[in-house]
Amino acid sequence: MSRFYARRRLSILATLTGLLASAALFDSPSASAALPTPVSAATARGYLAQLKVATENRTGYSRDKFPTWITVSGTCNTREWILKRDGTNVVTDSACRATSGSWYSPYDGATWSSTSDVDIDHLVPLAEAWDSGAGKWTTAQRQAFANDVTRPQLLAVTDNVNQAKGDQDPATWVPSRSAYVCTYVRAWVQVKYYYDLSVDSAEKTALTKDLASC
């Protein structure tokens, strides 16, 4: 039994209920909070060694197969919750929409005061997840992945940086801010390991190199 399914012996309903419960514990996340701390570099290297190496396959992919954003706490959907978590001095209205605050993007070091300049990045992109195993999941499992606020998978970043990243893996894209690369690749490996996703050979080579520098 894979790690992904071994960790999900409860029903899909129970899995999603657990996600919502985890989010509820952080109904008012600290304005200074950010990405959940990834595993250490040593642990990430151990995880990477266990990941299956396979050729990617995007056949049948559609972003619509990964429903976003779901309600995770009160009136907050996943995007709004991450904006609250990752921002500073964030003020929200009754619908949980951020009306003011500031957001620092660790990918490029920019700070923004408008949410229109901020995207919520799926650190392991949805298309990349599909390519490396999520195509075999149910829609409910893909929804849980796309809205995972527990693992280091969602992060508020500069919108055009996120768009430039697209669905690239670390073989072709890592943050331009070198101080964040180690955090990024540790998080990448942690998410792939937790969800039992594969890596391709170029991706594994790049991750091995970057983790060696951590």
Side-chain angles (χ1 to χ4, degrees), residues 55-92:
T55 302
E56 295 182 347
N57 183 356
R58 193 160 299 185
T59 303
Y61 170 72
S62 167
R63 187 181 178 88
D64 292 341
K65 294 180 179 179
F66 293 81
T68 57
W69 303 107
I70 64 171
T71 299
V72 295
S73 179
T75 60
C76 299
N77 68 23
T78 317
R79 172 180 165 82
E80 293 154 348
W81 195 91
I82 296 294
L83 286 172
K84 288 175 66 178
R85 185 197 71 181
D86 290 2
T88 300
N89 298 324
V90 177
V91 176
T92 59

PDB file of all heavy atoms in Angstrom, residues 55-92:
ATOM      1  N   THR A  55       8.737   8.714 -15.843  1.00  0.00           N
ATOM      2  CA  THR A  55       8.443   9.691 -16.889  1.00  0.00           C
ATOM      3  C   THR A  55       7.077  10.307 -16.619  1.00  0.00           C
ATOM      4  O   THR A  55       6.136   9.604 -16.231  1.00  0.00           O
ATOM      5  CB  THR A  55       8.432   9.012 -18.278  1.00  0.00           C
ATOM      6  OG1 THR A  55       9.704   8.399 -18.498  1.00  0.00           O
ATOM      7  CG2 THR A  55       8.148  10.026 -19.374  1.00  0.00           C
ATOM      8  N   GLU A  56       6.972  11.620 -16.801  1.00  0.00           N
ATOM      9  CA  GLU A  56       5.700  12.299 -16.526  1.00  0.00           C
ATOM     10  C   GLU A  56       4.698  12.081 -17.648  1.00  0.00           C
ATOM     11  O   GLU A  56       5.071  11.898 -18.812  1.00  0.00           O
ATOM     12  CB  GLU A  56       5.950  13.786 -16.309  1.00  0.00           C
ATOM     13  CG  GLU A  56       6.794  14.068 -15.076  1.00  0.00           C
ATOM     14  CD  GLU A  56       7.000  15.556 -14.831  1.00  0.00           C
ATOM     15  OE1 GLU A  56       6.706  16.370 -15.728  1.00  0.00           O
ATOM     16  OE2 GLU A  56       7.457  15.899 -13.729  1.00  0.00           O
ATOM     17  N   ASN A  57       3.421  12.133 -17.292  1.00  0.00           N
ATOM     18  CA  ASN A  57       2.350  11.926 -18.270  1.00  0.00           C
ATOM     19  C   ASN A  57       1.214  12.896 -17.985  1.00  0.00           C
ATOM     20  O   ASN A  57       0.560  12.780 -16.953  1.00  0.00           O
ATOM     21  CB  ASN A  57       1.850  10.478 -18.197  1.00  0.00           C
ATOM     22  CG  ASN A  57       0.797  10.177 -19.243  1.00  0.00           C
ATOM     23  OD1 ASN A  57       0.368  11.052 -19.995  1.00  0.00           O
ATOM     24  ND2 ASN A  57       0.374   8.923 -19.291  1.00  0.00           N
ATOM     25  N   ARG A  58       0.995  13.846 -18.885  1.00  0.00           N
ATOM     26  CA  ARG A  58      -0.051  14.853 -18.675  1.00  0.00           C
ATOM     27  C   ARG A  58      -1.349  14.515 -19.394  1.00  0.00           C
ATOM     28  O   ARG A  58      -2.308  15.298 -19.381  1.00  0.00           O
ATOM     29  CB  ARG A  58       0.458  16.223 -19.110  1.00  0.00           C
ATOM     30  CG  ARG A  58      -0.439  17.367 -18.629  1.00  0.00           C
ATOM     31  CD  ARG A  58       0.253  18.687 -18.620  1.00  0.00           C
ATOM     32  NE  ARG A  58       1.395  18.657 -17.728  1.00  0.00           N
ATOM     33  CZ  ARG A  58       2.139  19.725 -17.458  1.00  0.00           C
ATOM     34  NH1 ARG A  58       1.858  20.888 -18.003  1.00  0.00           N
ATOM     35  NH2 ARG A  58       3.168  19.619 -16.637  1.00  0.00           N
ATOM     36  N   THR A  59      -1.460  13.377 -19.970  1.00  0.00           N
ATOM     37  CA  THR A  59      -2.671  13.002 -20.693  1.00  0.00           C
ATOM     38  C   THR A  59      -3.902  13.145 -19.806  1.00  0.00           C
ATOM     39  O   THR A  59      -3.954  12.598 -18.701  1.00  0.00           O
ATOM     40  CB  THR A  59      -2.580  11.540 -21.186  1.00  0.00           C
ATOM     41  OG1 THR A  59      -1.423  11.396 -22.009  1.00  0.00           O
ATOM     42  CG2 THR A  59      -3.827  11.159 -21.964  1.00  0.00           C
ATOM     43  N   GLY A  60      -4.901  13.890 -20.286  1.00  0.00           N
ATOM     44  CA  GLY A  60      -6.161  14.032 -19.568  1.00  0.00           C
ATOM     45  C   GLY A  60      -6.189  15.125 -18.524  1.00  0.00           C
ATOM     46  O   GLY A  60      -7.217  15.334 -17.875  1.00  0.00           O
ATOM     47  N   TYR A  61      -5.097  15.872 -18.371  1.00  0.00           N
ATOM     48  CA  TYR A  61      -5.053  16.906 -17.317  1.00  0.00           C
ATOM     49  C   TYR A  61      -6.000  18.070 -17.612  1.00  0.00           C
ATOM     50  O   TYR A  61      -6.116  18.538 -18.736  1.00  0.00           O
ATOM     51  CB  TYR A  61      -3.640  17.475 -17.166  1.00  0.00           C
ATOM     52  CG  TYR A  61      -3.611  18.703 -16.271  1.00  0.00           C
ATOM     53  CD1 TYR A  61      -3.798  18.581 -14.901  1.00  0.00           C
ATOM     54  CD2 TYR A  61      -3.450  19.977 -16.810  1.00  0.00           C
ATOM     55  CE1 TYR A  61      -3.802  19.712 -14.079  1.00  0.00           C
ATOM     56  CE2 TYR A  61      -3.445  21.103 -15.998  1.00  0.00           C
ATOM     57  CZ  TYR A  61      -3.615  20.964 -14.637  1.00  0.00           C
ATOM     58  OH  TYR A  61      -3.636  22.073 -13.829  1.00  0.00           O
ATOM     59  N   SER A  62      -6.662  18.529 -16.564  1.00  0.00           N
ATOM     60  CA  SER A  62      -7.436  19.766 -16.579  1.00  0.00           C
ATOM     61  C   SER A  62      -7.391  20.351 -15.173  1.00  0.00           C
ATOM     62  O   SER A  62      -7.559  19.609 -14.192  1.00  0.00           O
ATOM     63  CB  SER A  62      -8.885  19.514 -16.982  1.00  0.00           C
ATOM     64  OG  SER A  62      -9.686  20.661 -16.715  1.00  0.00           O
ATOM     65  N   ARG A  63      -7.158  21.653 -15.070  1.00  0.00           N
ATOM     66  CA  ARG A  63      -7.140  22.283 -13.754  1.00  0.00           C
ATOM     67  C   ARG A  63      -8.467  22.091 -13.029  1.00  0.00           C
ATOM     68  O   ARG A  63      -8.518  22.026 -11.805  1.00  0.00           O
ATOM     69  CB  ARG A  63      -6.823  23.775 -13.880  1.00  0.00           C
ATOM     70  CG  ARG A  63      -6.625  24.470 -12.526  1.00  0.00           C
ATOM     71  CD  ARG A  63      -6.334  25.958 -12.695  1.00  0.00           C
ATOM     72  NE  ARG A  63      -6.206  26.615 -11.399  1.00  0.00           N
ATOM     73  CZ  ARG A  63      -5.090  26.713 -10.700  1.00  0.00           C
ATOM     74  NH1 ARG A  63      -3.974  26.188 -11.180  1.00  0.00           N
ATOM     75  NH2 ARG A  63      -5.070  27.329  -9.537  1.00  0.00           N
ATOM     76  N   ASP A  64      -9.554  21.973 -13.779  1.00  0.00           N
ATOM     77  CA  ASP A  64     -10.868  21.782 -13.168  1.00  0.00           C
ATOM     78  C   ASP A  64     -10.959  20.478 -12.379  1.00  0.00           C
ATOM     79  O   ASP A  64     -11.874  20.311 -11.570  1.00  0.00           O
ATOM     80  CB  ASP A  64     -11.962  21.798 -14.241  1.00  0.00           C
ATOM     81  CG  ASP A  64     -12.127  23.167 -14.880  1.00  0.00           C
ATOM     82  OD1 ASP A  64     -11.681  24.167 -14.279  1.00  0.00           O
ATOM     83  OD2 ASP A  64     -12.689  23.232 -15.994  1.00  0.00           O
ATOM     84  N   LYS A  65     -10.039  19.581 -12.603  1.00  0.00           N
ATOM     85  CA  LYS A  65     -10.038  18.313 -11.868  1.00  0.00           C
ATOM     86  C   LYS A  65      -9.438  18.450 -10.473  1.00  0.00           C
ATOM     87  O   LYS A  65      -9.396  17.480  -9.716  1.00  0.00           O
ATOM     88  CB  LYS A  65      -9.297  17.239 -12.677  1.00  0.00           C
ATOM     89  CG  LYS A  65     -10.032  16.888 -13.980  1.00  0.00           C
ATOM     90  CD  LYS A  65      -9.308  15.832 -14.789  1.00  0.00           C
ATOM     91  CE  LYS A  65     -10.104  15.502 -16.064  1.00  0.00           C
ATOM     92  NZ  LYS A  65      -9.444  14.489 -16.897  1.00  0.00           N
ATOM     93  N   PHE A  66      -8.966  19.678 -10.134  1.00  0.00           N
ATOM     94  CA  PHE A  66      -8.444  20.003  -8.809  1.00  0.00           C
ATOM     95  C   PHE A  66      -9.269  21.171  -8.249  1.00  0.00           C
ATOM     96  O   PHE A  66      -8.857  22.335  -8.356  1.00  0.00           O
ATOM     97  CB  PHE A  66      -6.979  20.413  -8.880  1.00  0.00           C
ATOM     98  CG  PHE A  66      -6.030  19.322  -9.265  1.00  0.00           C
ATOM     99  CD1 PHE A  66      -5.849  18.966 -10.596  1.00  0.00           C
ATOM    100  CD2 PHE A  66      -5.276  18.674  -8.292  1.00  0.00           C
ATOM    101  CE1 PHE A  66      -4.942  17.980 -10.953  1.00  0.00           C
ATOM    102  CE2 PHE A  66      -4.372  17.677  -8.640  1.00  0.00           C
ATOM    103  CZ  PHE A  66      -4.208  17.333  -9.970  1.00  0.00           C
ATOM    104  N   PRO A  67     -10.443  20.912  -7.680  1.00  0.00           N
ATOM    105  CA  PRO A  67     -11.315  22.012  -7.252  1.00  0.00           C
ATOM    106  C   PRO A  67     -10.652  22.940  -6.223  1.00  0.00           C
ATOM    107  O   PRO A  67     -10.131  22.500  -5.203  1.00  0.00           O
ATOM    108  CB  PRO A  67     -12.512  21.280  -6.623  1.00  0.00           C
ATOM    109  CG  PRO A  67     -12.505  19.925  -7.269  1.00  0.00           C
ATOM    110  CD  PRO A  67     -11.054  19.592  -7.454  1.00  0.00           C
ATOM    111  N   THR A  68     -10.667  24.234  -6.525  1.00  0.00           N
ATOM    112  CA  THR A  68     -10.205  25.289  -5.613  1.00  0.00           C
ATOM    113  C   THR A  68     -11.175  26.455  -5.761  1.00  0.00           C
ATOM    114  O   THR A  68     -11.769  26.628  -6.815  1.00  0.00           O
ATOM    115  CB  THR A  68      -8.790  25.771  -5.988  1.00  0.00           C
ATOM    116  OG1 THR A  68      -8.804  26.213  -7.348  1.00  0.00           O
ATOM    117  CG2 THR A  68      -7.749  24.687  -5.815  1.00  0.00           C
ATOM    118  N   TRP A  69     -11.331  27.288  -4.818  1.00  0.00           N
ATOM    119  CA  TRP A  69     -10.895  27.171  -3.430  1.00  0.00           C
ATOM    120  C   TRP A  69     -12.072  26.739  -2.570  1.00  0.00           C
ATOM    121  O   TRP A  69     -13.178  27.221  -2.810  1.00  0.00           O
ATOM    122  CB  TRP A  69     -10.356  28.503  -2.932  1.00  0.00           C
ATOM    123  CG  TRP A  69      -9.237  29.050  -3.755  1.00  0.00           C
ATOM    124  CD1 TRP A  69      -9.286  30.115  -4.618  1.00  0.00           C
ATOM    125  CD2 TRP A  69      -7.879  28.580  -3.781  1.00  0.00           C
ATOM    126  NE1 TRP A  69      -8.046  30.347  -5.167  1.00  0.00           N
ATOM    127  CE2 TRP A  69      -7.173  29.421  -4.678  1.00  0.00           C
ATOM    128  CE3 TRP A  69      -7.218  27.547  -3.143  1.00  0.00           C
ATOM    129  CZ2 TRP A  69      -5.816  29.238  -4.949  1.00  0.00           C
ATOM    130  CZ3 TRP A  69      -5.874  27.381  -3.412  1.00  0.00           C
ATOM    131  CH2 TRP A  69      -5.185  28.217  -4.298  1.00  0.00           C
ATOM    132  N   ILE A  70     -11.876  25.864  -1.597  1.00  0.00           N
ATOM    133  CA  ILE A  70     -12.971  25.414  -0.748  1.00  0.00           C
ATOM    134  C   ILE A  70     -13.011  26.252   0.528  1.00  0.00           C
ATOM    135  O   ILE A  70     -12.038  26.909   0.882  1.00  0.00           O
ATOM    136  CB  ILE A  70     -12.816  23.923  -0.385  1.00  0.00           C
ATOM    137  CG1 ILE A  70     -11.551  23.684   0.457  1.00  0.00           C
ATOM    138  CG2 ILE A  70     -12.820  23.054  -1.634  1.00  0.00           C
ATOM    139  CD1 ILE A  70     -11.442  22.281   1.043  1.00  0.00           C
ATOM    140  N   THR A  71     -14.139  26.220   1.222  1.00  0.00           N
ATOM    141  CA  THR A  71     -14.245  26.884   2.514  1.00  0.00           C
ATOM    142  C   THR A  71     -13.484  26.073   3.550  1.00  0.00           C
ATOM    143  O   THR A  71     -13.717  24.873   3.712  1.00  0.00           O
ATOM    144  CB  THR A  71     -15.712  27.012   2.942  1.00  0.00           C
ATOM    145  OG1 THR A  71     -16.418  27.793   1.968  1.00  0.00           O
ATOM    146  CG2 THR A  71     -15.825  27.704   4.298  1.00  0.00           C
ATOM    147  N   VAL A  72     -12.546  26.730   4.250  1.00  0.00           N
ATOM    148  CA  VAL A  72     -11.745  26.009   5.230  1.00  0.00           C
ATOM    149  C   VAL A  72     -12.017  26.445   6.661  1.00  0.00           C
ATOM    150  O   VAL A  72     -11.707  25.714   7.602  1.00  0.00           O
ATOM    151  CB  VAL A  72     -10.231  26.127   4.945  1.00  0.00           C
ATOM    152  CG1 VAL A  72      -9.882  25.456   3.635  1.00  0.00           C
ATOM    153  CG2 VAL A  72      -9.767  27.570   4.960  1.00  0.00           C
ATOM    154  N   SER A  73     -12.588  27.634   6.838  1.00  0.00           N
ATOM    155  CA  SER A  73     -12.866  28.100   8.199  1.00  0.00           C
ATOM    156  C   SER A  73     -13.824  29.272   8.147  1.00  0.00           C
ATOM    157  O   SER A  73     -13.531  30.287   7.502  1.00  0.00           O
ATOM    158  CB  SER A  73     -11.566  28.522   8.896  1.00  0.00           C
ATOM    159  OG  SER A  73     -11.820  29.003  10.192  1.00  0.00           O
ATOM    160  N   GLY A  74     -14.971  29.138   8.818  1.00  0.00           N
ATOM    161  CA  GLY A  74     -15.933  30.240   8.839  1.00  0.00           C
ATOM    162  C   GLY A  74     -16.340  30.638   7.436  1.00  0.00           C
ATOM    163  O   GLY A  74     -16.805  29.815   6.652  1.00  0.00           O
ATOM    164  N   THR A  75     -16.114  31.911   7.099  1.00  0.00           N
ATOM    165  CA  THR A  75     -16.422  32.396   5.756  1.00  0.00           C
ATOM    166  C   THR A  75     -15.199  32.406   4.854  1.00  0.00           C
ATOM    167  O   THR A  75     -15.256  32.881   3.719  1.00  0.00           O
ATOM    168  CB  THR A  75     -17.014  33.818   5.824  1.00  0.00           C
ATOM    169  OG1 THR A  75     -16.049  34.695   6.452  1.00  0.00           O
ATOM    170  CG2 THR A  75     -18.310  33.847   6.617  1.00  0.00           C
ATOM    171  N   CYS A  76     -14.074  31.891   5.354  1.00  0.00           N
ATOM    172  CA  CYS A  76     -12.806  31.951   4.617  1.00  0.00           C
ATOM    173  C   CYS A  76     -12.626  30.751   3.692  1.00  0.00           C
ATOM    174  O   CYS A  76     -12.661  29.605   4.150  1.00  0.00           O
ATOM    175  CB  CYS A  76     -11.623  32.005   5.570  1.00  0.00           C
ATOM    176  SG  CYS A  76     -11.598  33.437   6.671  1.00  0.00           S
ATOM    177  N   ASN A  77     -12.384  31.036   2.410  1.00  0.00           N
ATOM    178  CA  ASN A  77     -11.952  29.947   1.542  1.00  0.00           C
ATOM    179  C   ASN A  77     -10.434  29.836   1.613  1.00  0.00           C
ATOM    180  O   ASN A  77      -9.774  30.598   2.319  1.00  0.00           O
ATOM    181  CB  ASN A  77     -12.473  30.129   0.110  1.00  0.00           C
ATOM    182  CG  ASN A  77     -11.844  31.302  -0.626  1.00  0.00           C
ATOM    183  OD1 ASN A  77     -10.734  31.758  -0.307  1.00  0.00           O
ATOM    184  ND2 ASN A  77     -12.548  31.816  -1.633  1.00  0.00           N
ATOM    185  N   THR A  78      -9.884  28.886   0.900  1.00  0.00           N
ATOM    186  CA  THR A  78      -8.459  28.600   1.027  1.00  0.00           C
ATOM    187  C   THR A  78      -7.602  29.810   0.676  1.00  0.00           C
ATOM    188  O   THR A  78      -6.639  30.131   1.385  1.00  0.00           O
ATOM    189  CB  THR A  78      -8.058  27.418   0.128  1.00  0.00           C
ATOM    190  OG1 THR A  78      -9.036  26.382   0.224  1.00  0.00           O
ATOM    191  CG2 THR A  78      -6.695  26.869   0.530  1.00  0.00           C
ATOM    192  N   ARG A  79      -7.932  30.496  -0.407  1.00  0.00           N
ATOM    193  CA  ARG A  79      -7.138  31.673  -0.800  1.00  0.00           C
ATOM    194  C   ARG A  79      -7.175  32.733   0.296  1.00  0.00           C
ATOM    195  O   ARG A  79      -6.134  33.270   0.685  1.00  0.00           O
ATOM    196  CB  ARG A  79      -7.654  32.257  -2.116  1.00  0.00           C
ATOM    197  CG  ARG A  79      -6.982  33.595  -2.459  1.00  0.00           C
ATOM    198  CD  ARG A  79      -7.471  34.190  -3.767  1.00  0.00           C
ATOM    199  NE  ARG A  79      -7.093  35.593  -3.870  1.00  0.00           N
ATOM    200  CZ  ARG A  79      -5.893  36.034  -4.262  1.00  0.00           C
ATOM    201  NH1 ARG A  79      -4.947  35.179  -4.560  1.00  0.00           N
ATOM    202  NH2 ARG A  79      -5.644  37.337  -4.333  1.00  0.00           N
ATOM    203  N   GLU A  80      -8.357  33.022   0.790  1.00  0.00           N
ATOM    204  CA  GLU A  80      -8.490  34.059   1.814  1.00  0.00           C
ATOM    205  C   GLU A  80      -7.756  33.670   3.091  1.00  0.00           C
ATOM    206  O   GLU A  80      -7.140  34.518   3.754  1.00  0.00           O
ATOM    207  CB  GLU A  80      -9.982  34.302   2.082  1.00  0.00           C
ATOM    208  CG  GLU A  80     -10.701  34.923   0.885  1.00  0.00           C
ATOM    209  CD  GLU A  80     -12.184  34.623   0.839  1.00  0.00           C
ATOM    210  OE1 GLU A  80     -12.634  33.741   1.610  1.00  0.00           O
ATOM    211  OE2 GLU A  80     -12.887  35.246   0.028  1.00  0.00           O
ATOM    212  N   TRP A  81      -7.817  32.395   3.435  1.00  0.00           N
ATOM    213  CA  TRP A  81      -7.147  31.918   4.654  1.00  0.00           C
ATOM    214  C   TRP A  81      -5.640  32.083   4.546  1.00  0.00           C
ATOM    215  O   TRP A  81      -4.976  32.519   5.480  1.00  0.00           O
ATOM    216  CB  TRP A  81      -7.517  30.461   4.897  1.00  0.00           C
ATOM    217  CG  TRP A  81      -7.189  29.954   6.261  1.00  0.00           C
ATOM    218  CD1 TRP A  81      -7.996  29.963   7.362  1.00  0.00           C
ATOM    219  CD2 TRP A  81      -5.948  29.357   6.679  1.00  0.00           C
ATOM    220  NE1 TRP A  81      -7.329  29.409   8.431  1.00  0.00           N
ATOM    221  CE2 TRP A  81      -6.080  29.027   8.044  1.00  0.00           C
ATOM    222  CE3 TRP A  81      -4.750  29.067   6.025  1.00  0.00           C
ATOM    223  CZ2 TRP A  81      -5.052  28.434   8.770  1.00  0.00           C
ATOM    224  CZ3 TRP A  81      -3.724  28.467   6.743  1.00  0.00           C
ATOM    225  CH2 TRP A  81      -3.884  28.157   8.103  1.00  0.00           C
ATOM    226  N   ILE A  82      -5.075  31.738   3.359  1.00  0.00           N
ATOM    227  CA  ILE A  82      -3.634  31.886   3.157  1.00  0.00           C
ATOM    228  C   ILE A  82      -3.246  33.364   3.140  1.00  0.00           C
ATOM    229  O   ILE A  82      -2.185  33.736   3.672  1.00  0.00           O
ATOM    230  CB  ILE A  82      -3.182  31.179   1.864  1.00  0.00           C
ATOM    231  CG1 ILE A  82      -3.407  29.662   1.967  1.00  0.00           C
ATOM    232  CG2 ILE A  82      -1.709  31.481   1.570  1.00  0.00           C
ATOM    233  CD1 ILE A  82      -2.555  28.960   3.012  1.00  0.00           C
ATOM    234  N   LEU A  83      -4.062  34.211   2.560  1.00  0.00           N
ATOM    235  CA  LEU A  83      -3.768  35.649   2.577  1.00  0.00           C
ATOM    236  C   LEU A  83      -3.704  36.162   4.017  1.00  0.00           C
ATOM    237  O   LEU A  83      -2.830  36.972   4.360  1.00  0.00           O
ATOM    238  CB  LEU A  83      -4.821  36.429   1.789  1.00  0.00           C
ATOM    239  CG  LEU A  83      -4.744  36.309   0.268  1.00  0.00           C
ATOM    240  CD1 LEU A  83      -5.957  36.969  -0.377  1.00  0.00           C
ATOM    241  CD2 LEU A  83      -3.450  36.935  -0.274  1.00  0.00           C
ATOM    242  N   LYS A  84      -4.602  35.688   4.870  1.00  0.00           N
ATOM    243  CA  LYS A  84      -4.557  36.072   6.286  1.00  0.00           C
ATOM    244  C   LYS A  84      -3.307  35.528   6.955  1.00  0.00           C
ATOM    245  O   LYS A  84      -2.638  36.223   7.729  1.00  0.00           O
ATOM    246  CB  LYS A  84      -5.806  35.560   7.009  1.00  0.00           C
ATOM    247  CG  LYS A  84      -7.096  36.295   6.658  1.00  0.00           C
ATOM    248  CD  LYS A  84      -8.305  35.656   7.325  1.00  0.00           C
ATOM    249  CE  LYS A  84      -8.258  35.805   8.838  1.00  0.00           C
ATOM    250  NZ  LYS A  84      -9.480  35.217   9.463  1.00  0.00           N
ATOM    251  N   ARG A  85      -2.974  34.276   6.658  1.00  0.00           N
ATOM    252  CA  ARG A  85      -1.823  33.639   7.290  1.00  0.00           C
ATOM    253  C   ARG A  85      -0.515  34.312   6.898  1.00  0.00           C
ATOM    254  O   ARG A  85       0.369  34.537   7.737  1.00  0.00           O
ATOM    255  CB  ARG A  85      -1.768  32.158   6.879  1.00  0.00           C
ATOM    256  CG  ARG A  85      -0.672  31.356   7.578  1.00  0.00           C
ATOM    257  CD  ARG A  85      -0.377  30.049   6.864  1.00  0.00           C
ATOM    258  NE  ARG A  85       0.309  30.286   5.585  1.00  0.00           N
ATOM    259  CZ  ARG A  85       0.660  29.320   4.745  1.00  0.00           C
ATOM    260  NH1 ARG A  85       0.353  28.050   5.037  1.00  0.00           N
ATOM    261  NH2 ARG A  85       1.283  29.598   3.603  1.00  0.00           N
ATOM    262  N   ASP A  86      -0.373  34.619   5.620  1.00  0.00           N
ATOM    263  CA  ASP A  86       0.910  35.082   5.105  1.00  0.00           C
ATOM    264  C   ASP A  86       1.082  36.594   5.133  1.00  0.00           C
ATOM    265  O   ASP A  86       2.185  37.088   4.886  1.00  0.00           O
ATOM    266  CB  ASP A  86       1.110  34.595   3.664  1.00  0.00           C
ATOM    267  CG  ASP A  86       1.346  33.093   3.585  1.00  0.00           C
ATOM    268  OD1 ASP A  86       1.322  32.431   4.640  1.00  0.00           O
ATOM    269  OD2 ASP A  86       1.549  32.591   2.469  1.00  0.00           O
ATOM    270  N   GLY A  87       0.012  37.326   5.411  1.00  0.00           N
ATOM    271  CA  GLY A  87       0.100  38.780   5.379  1.00  0.00           C
ATOM    272  C   GLY A  87       0.470  39.397   6.715  1.00  0.00           C
ATOM    273  O   GLY A  87       0.541  38.724   7.746  1.00  0.00           O
ATOM    274  N   THR A  88       0.704  40.687   6.694  1.00  0.00           N
ATOM    275  CA  THR A  88       0.995  41.475   7.892  1.00  0.00           C
ATOM    276  C   THR A  88      -0.078  42.544   8.041  1.00  0.00           C
ATOM    277  O   THR A  88      -0.440  43.208   7.058  1.00  0.00           O
ATOM    278  CB  THR A  88       2.375  42.151   7.777  1.00  0.00           C
ATOM    279  OG1 THR A  88       3.376  41.135   7.634  1.00  0.00           O
ATOM    280  CG2 THR A  88       2.687  42.983   9.010  1.00  0.00           C
ATOM    281  N   ASN A  89      -0.623  42.668   9.256  1.00  0.00           N
ATOM    282  CA  ASN A  89      -1.673  43.654   9.540  1.00  0.00           C
ATOM    283  C   ASN A  89      -2.860  43.516   8.585  1.00  0.00           C
ATOM    284  O   ASN A  89      -3.387  44.509   8.072  1.00  0.00           O
ATOM    285  CB  ASN A  89      -1.110  45.078   9.471  1.00  0.00           C
ATOM    286  CG  ASN A  89      -0.028  45.322  10.499  1.00  0.00           C
ATOM    287  OD1 ASN A  89      -0.087  44.816  11.620  1.00  0.00           O
ATOM    288  ND2 ASN A  89       0.990  46.099  10.126  1.00  0.00           N
ATOM    289  N   VAL A  90      -3.268  42.290   8.359  1.00  0.00           N
ATOM    290  CA  VAL A  90      -4.364  42.030   7.426  1.00  0.00           C
ATOM    291  C   VAL A  90      -5.705  42.323   8.094  1.00  0.00           C
ATOM    292  O   VAL A  90      -5.989  41.852   9.196  1.00  0.00           O
ATOM    293  CB  VAL A  90      -4.334  40.571   6.934  1.00  0.00           C
ATOM    294  CG1 VAL A  90      -5.524  40.285   6.020  1.00  0.00           C
ATOM    295  CG2 VAL A  90      -3.018  40.289   6.214  1.00  0.00           C
ATOM    296  N   VAL A  91      -6.521  43.117   7.426  1.00  0.00           N
ATOM    297  CA  VAL A  91      -7.887  43.414   7.862  1.00  0.00           C
ATOM    298  C   VAL A  91      -8.831  42.794   6.850  1.00  0.00           C
ATOM    299  O   VAL A  91      -8.638  42.933   5.640  1.00  0.00           O
ATOM    300  CB  VAL A  91      -8.128  44.935   7.949  1.00  0.00           C
ATOM    301  CG1 VAL A  91      -9.584  45.223   8.321  1.00  0.00           C
ATOM    302  CG2 VAL A  91      -7.173  45.568   8.962  1.00  0.00           C
ATOM    303  N   THR A  92      -9.849  42.075   7.344  1.00  0.00           N
ATOM    304  CA  THR A  92     -10.797  41.418   6.448  1.00  0.00           C
ATOM    305  C   THR A  92     -12.218  41.886   6.720  1.00  0.00           C
ATOM    306  O   THR A  92     -12.545  42.346   7.814  1.00  0.00           O
ATOM    307  CB  THR A  92     -10.728  39.887   6.616  1.00  0.00           C
ATOM    308  OG1 THR A  92     -11.021  39.550   7.980  1.00  0.00           O
ATOM    309  CG2 THR A  92      -9.354  39.352   6.244  1.00  0.00           C
TER     310      THR A  92
END
